[in-house]
Amino acid sequence: MRFFLVFVLISLVNGIGAENLRLWYSNPAKNWWEALPVGNSHIGAMVYGGIDHEEIQLNEETFWSGSPYNNDKSGASRYLGDVRELIFQGRNAEARKLLDENFFTGNHGMRYLTLGSLLIDFSGVDNVKNYYRELNLDDATAVTGFTVDGIKYKRTVFSSFSGNVVVIDIHSDSNKIHDFELKYTCPLAFAVDNVGKDLIVKCSGVEHEGVKPALDAVVGIRVITDGKSTSEKGKIRVSDASRATVYVSAATNFVNYKDVSGDAMNKVIAFLDESSSKEYATLLSEHVDKYKEQFDRVTFTLPASAQAVKETDVRITEFGKKDDPTLPVLLFQYGRYLLISSSQPGSQPANLQGIWNKEVYAPWDSKYTININAEMNYWPAEVTNLAETHYPLFEMIKDLSETGRKTAKTLYGANGWVAHHNTDIWRIAGPVDFADAGVWPNGGAWLTQHLWQHYLFTGDKDFLRDYYPVMKGAADFLLSFLVKHPDYGWMVTVPSVSPEHGPGGVSITAGCTMDNQIAFDVLENTRQAAEILGESGDYIDSLKNMAAMLPPMKIGRYNQLQEWLEDVDDPNDKHRHISHLYGLYPSNQISPYADPFLFQSAKNTLLQRGDMATGWSIGWKINFWARMLDGNHAYRIIKNMLNILPNDNVVKDYPEGRTYPNMFDAHPPFQIDGNFGFTAGIAEMLLQSHDGAVHILPALPDEWQEGKVTGLVARGGFEIDMEWKQGNVEKIVVHSRIGGTIRLRSYVPLEGKGLKKAKGECPNSLYARADVRKPVISEELTSPEKPELRNVYEYDLKTVAGKDYVITNK
């Protein structure tokens, strides 16, 4: 451990110029929540770092229960009129009962399965000293090291980005390693065969909710060593070796959501042959190069404190008590690491647990919960310079636009396509669970906003043209689904819910605020896309006209943003979902500059809901408070996230624990969305580009008086580097990817070649503000509040694609 501490101390001495991007521990993992994750988006592994017994728990991205199916309830549309009539009459509980009886098939979605574990037992490992284990975010490797009788032993594990295998390299600084034995176990039905010198494991898929299994998984294990290797009786034994490298690959017969004709065995053998034919050093180098090409795009450095040399779990435990400004930096970069490791082009999107799950019955089946959680997974993608990680989600959205067409017609007699609050690998689009949660026809609509946001960050018209039919399908659904509210006269979604929440214990409603905000985004963004692509003027007019008939946002009697059309919010309500603030984040409909009253009402809602919540909700709140331009409050929420939960067996003793020792987010249980929400929130504190300009350091907390960040991405296709001291920006470097005007917003005056004071709206259409209607203010509210805002300076800079521009503090 001594040499590792020396490295950390050197980083500390170097101060602001160094990033210590390692999670490290002085003991093996006692459980899954202490194990360290590696992944290449196809294969995920949890590394325990045992001494004489090592466990590598595995997952394969396509290993799910069930088979191709849909959950569209035949005949449901016959009841739609009655449901709407009951809701408009205020008989919401009766409407809920009708929905529960007639809109659900009983299928709650299939579940993401564990693949089991590779077990390695070593002989003769005694008198161990200087134990350490680490996850190095710089090169995506997990390392276990210790000394025995003065000899240093080291195990390096990585999930290869170039070879589609998990690699375990075992060596020492002498010419001898301990003899060891490999075997495999899985909580599902499985069979192990010795095929030549390889170990081949076949894991059987499972039936779920009456849907028969169509997927089986194959795991292949191969050892390359200079010692003696024998393969028999379901095991591999290695002896008399100076080094050994273990290769593990896995695959299923999944091809896509409607095709399960793949050959898992052939894929596994091909992966093993390709990877094991290379020298270990070559495979490692290829892996690191491919990983770093993405990870190294963003750096974030702050001066470190003495806490930076401590073990990661100790730092988390002490974070609220001792000064440790760089621990949030580590968690920020950890989120980027997890996104790279669980979502690459050609793979499945990161699910509720990324690609890491040890359970036969994963929490919430580890499905794609698309009433926030799956979307949150991808909030960091564009702003933290990882746009390619977004593509698996784009492809899932395209799949849903196919399956959801039948759902829209069957359930609502509507055009276009729809998806509700959950989906799975089979791309189901009907409602799951029960009416109060499941009858939310906005999952697909929200997802399409990721397509539009990618366009705003890239200006890629070819991408927009490719995915425009998906956006149009979501808009077409709304055009045929929205109906006039008999009391208000506005066009509303009905039936629907404000996700997982409702006054008086009933969620079923009409025209809740989140629905109106999402509908506005879908209609307006599709309109803009149609104009850019030269689509029909009549269709553009229909989108514009419908958007104009949506309900405006409403400020209620407690000076809060109303969650529903009716002013029934409870100021003491601490519910984890704050869905009606979708308009604040991730959307751009609530602006401190365009409508201060609306902005202040959103702030009051946040204050009423409180600062503590489940892990993913805390991740959302960091983004909310960043959008509130309040860095100190955002940092308070960061402290709430960095609160230790040792494992799920002691939740009652750690009621506010939200981060496990391995830095996974705790709902609890583990959900990866909180990690991704945290990373997006940190980025949002440093850079915002949603409100008509690129806002530099909009929400910097007092704890980060000095720092540097490079490689963040703003809408309009600009990479931004920033340095600051005493809380004020000193230097900005703008790299223009596609050219065009950038508008910079700062709390201090700026200067630079070509920089001019801004006038009017930004001429770059990628910065267009949301043109929302003025809110309706409750008559009971005698004095609506305005926020206290810092003075800002705004400048325009015309840029040329490929060039850099330097701006400094005046």
Side-chain angles (χ1 to χ4, degrees):
M1 186 166 65
R2 188 179 297 110
F3 71 85
F4 182 77
L5 287 176
V6 167
F7 171 83
V8 176
L9 287 169
I10 290 172
S11 296
L12 181 58
V13 170
N14 286 342
I16 195 169
E19 288 182 277
N20 173 22
L21 296 180
R22 286 172 165 81
L23 287 68
W24 81 277
Y25 311 82
S26 62
N27 292 289
K30 297 186 294 293
N31 52 55
W32 194 85
W33 302 276
E34 296 180 5
L36 296 172
V38 296
N40 63 6
S41 84
H42 297 292
I43 307 175
M46 297 293 288
V47 184
Y48 282 67
I51 296 172
D52 57 357
H53 175 76
E54 174 64 291
E55 179 175 358
I56 311 289
Q57 187 266 317
L58 296 164
N59 289 98
E60 200 278 342
E61 58 159 348
T62 63
F63 194 31
W64 287 67
S65 67
S67 54
Y69 76 110
N70 72 66
N71 66 330
D72 303 330
K73 183 64 178 287
S74 179
S77 62
R78 295 198 302 268
Y79 300 91
L80 180 61
D82 292 339
V83 166
R84 285 173 165 168
E85 185 65 26
L86 288 169
I87 293 170
F88 288 143
Q89 291 175 5
R91 297 158 65 186
N92 299 50
E94 294 175 59
R96 176 176 64 185
K97 183 174 184 293
L98 202 58
L99 288 164
D100 278 328
E101 291 172 349
N102 298 287
F103 276 66
F104 293 82
T105 62
N107 293 123
H108 297 75
M110 298 299 103
R111 64 187 198 263
Y112 181 55
L113 300 171
T114 182
L115 199 58
S117 295
L118 174 67
L119 306 176
I120 312 176
D121 289 299
F122 297 88
S123 59
V125 187
D126 300 310
N127 302 315
V128 169
K129 296 180 180 179
N130 299 325
Y131 176 90
Y132 76 96
R133 64 186 175 97
E134 68 175 27
L135 176 64
N136 187 345
L137 304 186
D138 275 322
D139 61 12
T141 62
V143 175
T144 301
F146 50 84
T147 61
V148 176
D149 298 330
I151 299 172
K152 294 178 181 177
Y153 293 87
K154 184 178 180 181
R155 294 199 296 270
T156 302
V157 183
F158 60 93
S159 188
S160 173
F161 280 92
S162 61
N164 204 22
V165 290
V166 173
V167 181
I168 306 113
D169 185 65
I170 306 164
H171 72 278
S172 73
D173 62 0
S174 73
N175 61 356
K176 184 78 167 66
I177 62 172
H178 297 99
D179 296 349
F180 63 89
E181 180 180 86
L182 294 173
K183 58 185 177 182
Y184 202 89
T185 187
C186 182
L188 303 173
F190 74 104
V192 183
D193 292 312
N194 298 93
V195 180
K197 289 192 173 184
D198 296 341
L199 209 60
I200 300 296
V201 183
K202 296 180 181 179
C203 299
S204 299
V206 297
E207 173 272 340
H208 189 56
E209 296 180 337
V211 180
K212 294 181 179 180
L215 298 177
D216 295 317
V218 174
V219 181
I221 303 159
R222 180 175 296 176
V223 180
I224 302 297
T225 180
D226 58 2
K228 181 182 178 183
S229 175
T230 59
S231 176
E232 59 183 8
K233 297 181 180 178
K235 299 178 182 179
I236 297 176
R237 295 183 180 86
V238 175
S239 58
D240 301 326
S242 63
R243 187 172 201 140
T245 305
V246 182
Y247 301 85
V248 184
S249 191
T252 74
N253 50 300
F254 180 88
V255 177
N256 58 49
Y257 74 90
K258 51 190 174 184
D259 185 350
V260 292
S261 64
D263 190 326
M265 180 67 76
N266 279 350
K267 286 189 279 188
V268 164
I269 298 302
F271 295 145
L272 289 176
D273 287 346
E274 180 185 4
S275 296
S276 64
S277 66
K278 297 179 180 180
E279 293 289 335
Y280 167 74
T282 300
L283 193 61
L284 175 61
S285 176
E286 291 175 349
H287 158 77
V288 172
D289 288 348
K290 191 166 183 180
Y291 166 76
K292 287 175 76 66
E293 195 281 318
Q294 294 181 36
F295 184 79
D296 286 357
R297 294 172 192 165
V298 170
T299 67
F300 179 23
T301 52
L302 296 171
S305 73
Q307 289 295 105
V309 304
K310 293 185 177 181
E311 296 172 66
T312 302
D313 54 336
V314 175
R315 292 178 71 185
I316 300 168
T317 301
E318 296 179 349
F319 183 70
K321 310 176 190 72
K322 297 186 179 181
D323 180 43
D324 191 359
T326 57
L327 186 59
V329 176
L330 181 63
L331 190 53
F332 165 81
Q333 291 286 32
Y334 186 56
R336 296 184 67 245
Y337 164 82
L338 293 173
L339 186 55
I340 294 168
S341 301
S342 60
S343 187
Q344 290 292 311
S347 74
Q348 296 297 305
N351 63 45
L352 201 60
Q353 295 183 285
I355 51 171
W356 299 280
N357 164 48
K358 69 181 176 71
E359 305 290 349
V360 173
Y361 288 88
W364 299 283
D365 301 323
S366 204
K367 297 192 296 289
Y368 301 100
T369 304
I370 54 176
N371 66 4
I372 178 152
N373 312 93
E375 290 89 349
M376 183 180 286
N377 283 3
Y378 288 90
W379 287 351
E382 303 292 337
V383 68
T384 72
N385 218 333
L386 298 173
E388 57 267 76
T389 66
H390 222 160
Y391 273 82
L393 184 71
F394 298 158
E395 290 303 300
M396 184 177 82
I397 299 168
K398 189 175 283 188
D399 289 346
L400 285 169
S401 74
E402 297 170 1
T403 61
R405 285 191 176 276
K406 180 176 181 295
T407 308
K409 191 65 68 178
T410 301
L411 268 63
Y412 305 113
N415 300 325
W417 68 277
V418 67
H420 292 76
H421 94 296
N422 258 268
T423 190
D424 57 22
I425 198 169
W426 309 112
R427 307 305 190 239
I428 60 167
V432 306
D433 298 335
F434 46 86
D436 272 337
V439 180
W440 186 69
N442 290 288
W446 186 347
L447 285 171
T448 62
Q449 300 321 295
H450 285 256
L451 306 174
W452 179 247
Q453 289 300 314
H454 180 72
Y455 170 72
L456 293 183
F457 275 93
T458 64
D460 186 344
K461 290 184 181 178
D462 289 335
F463 171 87
L464 189 64
R465 189 172 291 106
D466 185 19
Y467 283 91
Y468 172 74
V470 179
M471 295 176 64
K472 182 179 183 298
D476 288 345
F477 173 76
L478 289 170
L479 290 175
S480 61
F481 179 71
L482 292 163
V483 296
K484 184 177 287 188
H485 196 292
D487 297 331
Y488 298 104
W490 296 315
M491 299 297 287
V492 295
T493 53
V494 57
S496 189
V497 300
S498 189
E500 302 180 34
H501 190 211
V506 180
S507 298
I508 295 299
T509 190
C512 61
T513 298
M514 186 192 213
D515 281 23
N516 304 330
Q517 294 168 342
I518 290 176
F520 176 86
D521 273 353
V522 171
L523 296 169
E524 279 295 289
N525 296 342
T526 304
R527 176 188 64 78
Q528 292 181 59
E531 290 174 347
I532 292 166
L533 298 174
E535 297 295 319
S536 162
D538 290 342
Y539 183 67
I540 291 170
D541 288 343
S542 70
L543 295 169
K544 189 183 301 184
N545 293 337
M546 184 63 80
M549 293 188 286
L550 294 171
M553 284 178 270
K554 302 177 78 172
I555 300 174
R557 54 183 169 167
Y558 299 112
N559 217 338
Q560 88 286 5
L561 182 65
Q562 288 182 201
E563 186 166 0
W564 300 276
L565 288 177
E566 296 75 27
D567 192 356
V568 292
D569 297 274
D570 179 355
N572 297 312
D573 185 358
K574 307 302 180 188
H575 198 271
R576 63 195 178 277
H577 281 266
I578 317 179
S579 302
H580 49 310
L581 294 193
Y582 163 93
L584 175 66
Y585 186 93
S587 187
N588 67 336
Q589 297 174 37
I590 299 175
S591 161
Y593 308 109
D595 197 313
F597 290 122
L598 193 56
F599 184 76
Q600 183 65 32
S601 73
K603 180 177 182 179
N604 290 336
T605 290
L606 283 172
L607 292 170
Q608 290 163 10
R609 286 292 174 93
D611 294 339
M612 200 61 203
T614 54
W616 65 263
S617 182
I618 289 176
W620 202 358
K621 287 180 178 181
I622 296 170
N623 287 276
F624 282 147
W625 282 106
R627 287 279 173 98
M628 280 288 138
L629 309 178
D630 191 337
N632 288 331
H633 205 130
Y635 200 79
R636 191 184 310 167
I637 310 298
I638 287 171
K639 288 183 176 180
N640 287 344
M641 177 72 88
L642 280 163
N643 211 316
I644 195 75
L645 176 61
N647 59 72
D648 279 351
N649 300 319
V650 294
V651 170
K652 69 179 188 310
D653 299 320
Y654 295 83
E656 295 187 346
R658 294 297 179 267
T659 301
Y660 295 109
N662 63 7
M663 297 196 91
F664 273 164
D665 163 67
H667 179 284
F670 165 53
Q671 283 185 200
I672 206 167
D673 42 27
N675 288 101
F676 296 139
F678 182 96
T679 295
I682 296 293
E684 207 68 19
M685 293 166 71
L686 299 171
L687 186 76
Q688 295 179 18
S689 61
H690 64 286
D691 192 19
V694 177
H695 199 159
I696 302 298
L697 302 178
L700 197 69
D702 291 342
E703 285 82 354
W704 296 348
Q705 286 293 297
E706 181 180 359
K708 179 179 180 180
V709 65
T710 68
L712 293 180
V713 181
R715 291 166 182 84
F718 298 101
E719 281 191 35
I720 308 292
D721 302 344
M722 298 177 286
E723 297 179 31
W724 64 93
K725 291 182 180 179
Q726 297 180 338
N728 292 319
V729 67
E730 293 279 309
K731 180 181 178 182
I732 306 164
V733 178
V734 176
H735 174 72
S736 178
R737 292 175 172 176
I738 61 174
T741 297
I742 183 173
R743 175 163 293 185
L744 293 169
R745 179 179 294 149
S746 169
Y747 294 130
V748 296
L750 303 174
E751 62 182 3
K753 186 176 179 180
L755 206 64
K756 295 182 179 180
K757 286 188 177 180
K759 294 181 181 179
E761 291 297 312
C762 180
N764 190 334
S765 62
L766 298 175
Y767 291 108
R769 283 177 168 158
D771 186 17
V772 299
R773 293 162 64 185
K774 290 293 181 184
V776 174
I777 301 176
S778 169
E779 294 180 358
E780 296 183 43
L781 189 61
T782 56
S783 55
E785 301 170 7
K786 276 190 174 183
E788 295 182 9
L789 301 173
R790 294 175 65 179
N791 184 50
V792 294
Y793 303 84
E794 292 189 352
Y795 306 88
D796 283 347
L797 176 66
K798 292 182 179 179
T799 72
V800 176
K803 292 198 173 183
D804 292 343
Y805 301 84
V806 178
I807 297 102
T808 59
N809 185 333
K810 213 171 203 179

